[in-house]
Amino acid sequence: AQTVTQSQPEMSVQEAETVTLSCTYDTSESDYYLFWYKQPPSRQMILVIRQEAYKQQNATENRFSVNFQKAAKSFSLKISDSQLGDAAMYFCAYRGYYGGSQGNLIFGKGTKLSVKP
Amino acid sequence: SQTIHQWPATLVQPVGSPLSLECTVEGTSNPNLYWYRQAAGRGLQLLFYSVGIGQISSEVPQNLSASRPQDRQFILSSKKLLLSDSGFYLCAWSARAPGRQETQYFGPGTRLLVL
């Protein structure tokens, strides 16, 4: 079974600085998708970024980028120019390539990010 | 654009009472639908998913059930709530079209407190 591990329960960053959140996963599949979701105090889950495993190029969305290392099964999230609004829980998630139960998201336990003014 | 709604936003219920949480999606047709539960300080646990009307798959045995009476409506129910049912319930949808079904989008959630 696939697993997702976020080893940093809490992280802190100074406003305008850069922070990297770690995520590792375990799978025997070769094709899959990886996601980072943000959960602010409102608790709604917001998609931050997604990565297809068959793409070697790292995904980027404005100030958010990932470092996808397929061989190492590592998928870290880098937040540049951190803003106060970035403070939230961040969840890493894995999805198998195919549908059915393999298409369900598997979440890590999350990393709580604090941003200091 | 697509939107997903959940209600109620907050619910306080006594142990042993019934439960009905509703989720509806607008702006898309034939979506995949999901119910998750998030206990305090924990990650998300998938409870049910549905690929069509009347088609429900359960991921964990529990006190809850789900139904999909219409294409864009997903309901989470219980006949008798337990204290352990307290938590934050999230509904999500994903598109059915090839190449788009992998991304799930979440609703605002329902906070359930069972006393």
Side-chain angles (χ1 to χ4, degrees):
Chain A
Q2 295 84 8
T3 59
V4 176
T5 302
Q6 294 179 248
S7 58
Q8 307 154 315
E10 296 187 24
M11 291 281 285
S12 180
V13 64
Q14 205 72 31
E15 193 175 8
E17 297 293 308
T18 296
V19 65
T20 299
L21 308 183
S22 301
C23 173
T24 58
Y25 57 94
D26 188 25
T27 183
S28 58
E29 299 177 329
S30 57
D31 290 325
Y32 47 87
Y33 301 91
L34 295 164
F35 305 85
W36 279 98
Y37 283 88
K38 168 185 177 181
Q39 189 178 40
S42 67
R43 299 191 73 178
Q44 181 165 7
M45 296 288 282
I46 302 167
L47 177 67
V48 175
I49 202 165
R50 53 169 270 177
Q51 174 81 42
E52 294 91 339
Y54 58 85
K55 291 186 178 180
Q56 294 185 342
Q57 185 174 7
N58 289 325
T60 299
E61 287 288 345
N62 300 316
R63 297 182 295 106
F64 299 88
S65 61
V66 299
N67 183 7
F68 173 49
Q69 301 289 328
K70 191 173 184 180
K73 296 180 181 176
S74 172
F75 183 60
S76 60
L77 175 70
K78 186 172 81 171
I79 306 174
S80 304
D81 186 25
S82 296
Q83 301 175 0
L84 295 178
D86 294 333
M89 282 288 288
Y90 285 82
F91 290 94
C92 178
Y94 168 101
R95 182 198 186 274
Y97 183 78
Y98 299 100
S101 60
Q102 291 180 313
N104 296 329
L105 285 174
I106 300 170
F107 285 87
K109 293 186 177 181
T111 296
K112 182 178 181 181
L113 177 66
S114 302
V115 181
K116 298 179 180 179
Chain B
S1 63
Q2 299 85 10
T3 56
I4 178 169
H5 304 278
Q6 286 186 244
W7 63 88
T10 303
L11 190 61
V12 180
Q13 291 286 91
V15 170
S17 63
L19 174 73
S20 180
L21 303 182
E22 189 165 344
C23 170
T24 59
V25 181
E26 295 178 355
T28 188
S29 59
N30 207 23
N32 296 321
L33 295 172
Y34 309 83
W35 276 113
Y36 290 87
R37 176 169 58 200
Q38 185 179 30
R42 296 189 176 185
L44 275 71
Q45 177 187 38
L46 178 65
L47 301 175
F48 302 95
Y49 69 95
S50 171
V51 299
I53 296 174
Q55 300 179 63
I56 309 295
S57 295
S58 175
E59 288 295 297
V60 293
Q62 59 211 327
N63 185 42
L64 303 169
S65 62
S67 61
R68 185 170 177 175
Q70 299 181 41
D71 180 47
R72 291 171 291 173
Q73 184 184 32
F74 204 21
I75 297 173
L76 184 68
S77 303
S78 174
K79 293 182 178 179
K80 290 185 177 182
L81 283 169
L82 306 172
L83 288 174
S84 57
D85 291 325
S86 293
F88 190 63
Y89 290 82
L90 285 156
C91 181
W93 74 274
S94 66
R96 197 76 73 78
R100 294 184 56 214
Q101 59 186 302
E102 67 279 358
T103 302
Q104 293 184 24
Y105 301 93
F106 288 81
T110 295
R111 291 174 177 79
L112 172 64
L113 179 60
V114 182
L115 300 175

